[in-house]
Amino acid sequence: MFDYKIVENKLHQAINIVKPQLSDTQIEFLVSDIQAGEWNLALETLCDILIEEEISIDLKGYELLQEVGNILNMERETWEMLKVQVTP
């Protein structure tokens, strides 16, 4: 069993990094998924938004997504498609 607080913390940190490029609605959806304990859904949704809207993410943000995905034992494809959007 993992510590869900760590997962929630990392998800919130990742959202905060890209927050300026997200709409209020997107942020509300993500935060409500996290509060509902739907961490996998929150991570998938965040990655989908970043990919579809071609939003750059810094290495720290990418690593946070990767860490959450690994803790949740999710498919690597969920976040690996973002690699091309990582900025130094």
Side-chain angles (χ1 to χ4, degrees), residues 25-39:
T25 311
Q26 288 169 329
I27 294 164
E28 281 167 30
F29 271 117
L30 292 165
V31 170
S32 74
D33 284 345
I34 295 168
Q35 287 170 340
E38 297 282 353
W39 309 302

Side-chain angles (χ1 to χ4, degrees), residues 3 7 22-23 25 27 34 37 41 48 51 61-62 65 71 74 76 78-80 83 85-86 88:
D3 185 344
V7 170
L22 302 178
S23 71
T25 311
I27 294 164
I34 295 168
L41 183 61
D48 287 346
I51 292 163
Y62 180 78
L65 298 176
I71 293 170
M74 291 174 67
R76 300 182 67 84
T78 309
W79 63 87
E80 283 197 333
K83 260 190 180 154
Q85 289 163 236
V86 175

Side-chain angles (χ1 to χ4, degrees), residues 51-83:
I51 292 163
E52 284 169 22
E53 301 192 11
E54 297 179 0
I55 295 170
S56 307
I57 185 165
D58 65 13
L59 189 57
K60 170 96 175 109
Y62 180 78
E63 285 172 350
L64 285 165
L65 298 176
Q66 196 172 23
E67 286 165 25
V68 171
N70 286 329
I71 293 170
L72 298 175
N73 288 319
M74 291 174 67
E75 295 289 324
R76 300 182 67 84
E77 292 82 59
T78 309
W79 63 87
E80 283 197 333
M81 289 165 62
L82 277 170
K83 260 190 180 154

